[in-house]
């Protein structure tokens, strides 16, 4: 939007361009980067007025670039700030010490599995201590391969 | 498979240790302290010490080949460590004193004397 506005502005100020041409031996001295030779065509040479317009257009692009550059730079700076912020946050978390930042899905899976196993396990201490001694003795004998009746 | 079986037996020993029924001491003595497995004997002796009752402590202190008198150094040392870790050592010291003074076996008396000395220092 800014470029179009600028182009429009430049193109709509013929008096200013005319003044420049009148006071300069080189009519393209006002152009910032590109000389009019860039636009020379063997097939159809542009008129002086066209050259001036194109020159003004190129000049306006040259003027517009810093704006773009600033915009791009600000985006890059924003990205860098975000990156630095994230890095510093990670550093802070690391500085906390033994706190584990990574998420161990495998470990969590095992923990959940272990939790379910302990619920389903009839040989957990919590369940065993609710049983009477005779039952515990029988279970122990069975596990030891001893004859329960003996 | 063996690990799973040992885990189950370990949990049974722990459950018997926590059991209030006095019969749990008999089961621990019969099944645990007579086991051929050093680990089972060690766990049983420690469980009996943790019960901290007269009968359970007597099994680990006064019986030859059990508890502090076990042939396995690991079992004997583990039992002694458990005795030293007791919060209330009164009953254990009383049994050790009786053992030192009255037990018929010289080796058992000597072991009891050593452990009693350690407990007095701890």
């Amino acid at each position: 939007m800014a470029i179009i506005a600028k182009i429009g502005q430049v193109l709509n100020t013929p008096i200013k361009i005319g003044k420049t041409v009148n006071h300069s031996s080189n009519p393209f001295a006002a152009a910032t980067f590109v000389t009019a030779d860039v636009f020379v065509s063997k097939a159809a040479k542009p008129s002086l007025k066209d050259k001036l317009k194109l020159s003004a257009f190129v000049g306006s692009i040259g003027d517009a670039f810093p704006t773009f550059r600033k915009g791009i730079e600000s985006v890059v700076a924003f990205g860098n700030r975000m990156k630095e912020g994230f890095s510093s946050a990670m550093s802070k978390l690391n500085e906390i010490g033994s706190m584990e930042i990574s998420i161990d899905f495998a470990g969590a899976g095992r923990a959940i599995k272990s939790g379910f196993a302990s619920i389903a396990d009839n040989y957990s201490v919590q369940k065993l201590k609710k049983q009477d001694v005779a039952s515990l003795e029988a279970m122990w004998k069975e596990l030891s391969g001893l004859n329960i009746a003996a | 498979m063996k690990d799973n079986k040992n885990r189950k037996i370990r949990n049974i020993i722990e459950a018997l240790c926590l059991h209030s029924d006095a019969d749990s001491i008999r089961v621990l003595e019969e099944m645990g302290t007579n086991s051929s497995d050093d680990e089972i004997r060690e766990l049983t002796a420690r469980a009996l010490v943790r019960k901290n009752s007269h009968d359970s402590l007597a099994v680990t202190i006064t019986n030859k080949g059990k508890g502090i008198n076990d042939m396995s150094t690991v079992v004997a040392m583990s039992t002694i460590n458990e005795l030293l870790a007791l919060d209330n050592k009164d009953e254990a010291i009383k049994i050790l004193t009786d053992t030192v003074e009255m037990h018929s076996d010289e080796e058992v008396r000597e072991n009891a004397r050593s452990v009693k000395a350690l407990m007095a220092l701890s």
Side-chain angles (χ1 to χ4, degrees), chain A residues 121 123 131 133 137 140 143, chain B residues 5 7 9 11 19 26:
Chain A
D121 187 9
Y123 284 89
Q131 297 193 27
V133 175
E137 185 181 10
W140 195 346
L143 286 167
Chain B
K5 192 182 87 173
R7 182 186 65 80
I9 293 175
N11 287 355
H19 222 289
R26 179 192 59 80

Side-chain angles (χ1 to χ4, degrees), chain A residues 47-103:
Chain A
S47 65
L48 179 62
K49 194 179 175 184
D50 289 338
K51 281 185 178 179
L52 288 173
K53 283 180 179 175
L54 288 168
S55 176
F57 171 69
V58 173
S60 72
I61 291 172
D63 290 339
F65 271 160
T67 313
F68 270 125
R69 204 156 44 236
K70 278 177 190 171
I72 291 163
E73 280 171 0
S74 68
V75 170
V76 171
F78 175 75
N80 282 332
R81 277 201 306 278
M82 288 295 288
K83 195 181 84 179
E84 282 166 14
F86 183 69
S87 299
S88 73
M90 289 294 285
S91 303
K92 286 285 179 196
L93 284 171
N94 279 321
E95 281 169 14
I96 289 169
S98 57
M99 183 178 287
E100 196 167 313
I101 296 166
S102 62
I103 302 167

Side-chain angles (χ1 to χ4, degrees), chain B residues 12-70:
Chain B
I12 289 172
I13 293 169
E14 188 64 30
L16 286 166
C17 175
L18 299 168
H19 222 289
S20 55
D21 191 339
D23 199 36
S24 60
I25 297 169
R26 179 192 59 80
V27 175
L28 283 168
E29 183 180 5
E30 283 183 11
M31 297 291 300
T33 59
N34 291 325
S35 172
S36 57
D37 191 325
D38 283 5
E39 190 189 349
I40 300 292
R41 288 206 311 282
E42 181 193 345
L43 291 167
T44 307
R46 290 171 61 183
L48 285 165
V49 172
R50 280 204 304 277
K51 272 188 163 295
N52 203 7
S53 69
H54 177 85
D55 291 342
S56 67
L57 288 169
V59 172
T60 59
I61 293 170
T62 62
N63 285 316
K64 190 165 187 178
K66 296 179 181 179
I68 62 170
N69 305 302
D70 198 285

Side-chain angles (χ1 to χ4, degrees), chain A:
Chain A
M1 237 4 226
I3 305 171
I4 295 164
K6 195 138 190 171
I7 292 166
Q9 188 189 346
V10 171
L11 294 178
N12 288 325
T13 52
I15 298 165
K16 194 177 178 183
I17 295 169
K19 277 182 183 174
T20 307
V21 171
N22 290 338
H23 296 290
S24 174
S25 58
N26 178 6
F28 306 108
T32 311
F33 293 115
V34 186
T35 63
D37 292 339
V38 173
F39 305 101
V40 171
S41 168
K42 286 178 182 175
K45 281 194 172 184
S47 65
L48 179 62
K49 194 179 175 184
D50 289 338
K51 281 185 178 179
L52 288 173
K53 283 180 179 175
L54 288 168
S55 176
F57 171 69
V58 173
S60 72
I61 291 172
D63 290 339
F65 271 160
T67 313
F68 270 125
R69 204 156 44 236
K70 278 177 190 171
I72 291 163
E73 280 171 0
S74 68
V75 170
V76 171
F78 175 75
N80 282 332
R81 277 201 306 278
M82 288 295 288
K83 195 181 84 179
E84 282 166 14
F86 183 69
S87 299
S88 73
M90 289 294 285
S91 303
K92 286 285 179 196
L93 284 171
N94 279 321
E95 281 169 14
I96 289 169
S98 57
M99 183 178 287
E100 196 167 313
I101 296 166
S102 62
I103 302 167
D104 183 5
F105 287 105
R110 278 197 299 275
I112 293 165
K113 194 178 169 187
S114 168
F116 280 120
S118 70
I119 292 166
D121 187 9
N122 289 325
Y123 284 89
S124 68
V125 177
Q126 294 298 319
K127 285 191 178 177
L128 287 171
K129 72 178 183 183
K130 290 174 186 168
Q131 297 193 27
D132 59 291
V133 175
S135 300
L136 293 172
E137 185 181 10
M139 290 165 83
W140 195 346
K141 280 180 178 174
E142 192 180 346
L143 286 167
S144 302
L146 299 171
N147 187 356
I148 298 170

Side-chain angles (χ1 to χ4, degrees), chain B residues 95-103 108-109 112-114 116:
Chain B
I95 293 169
L96 285 166
T97 306
D98 291 345
T99 307
V100 170
E101 291 172 359
M102 295 187 288
H103 205 280
V108 173
R109 285 203 304 272
R113 187 177 289 111
S114 303
K116 190 186 171 187

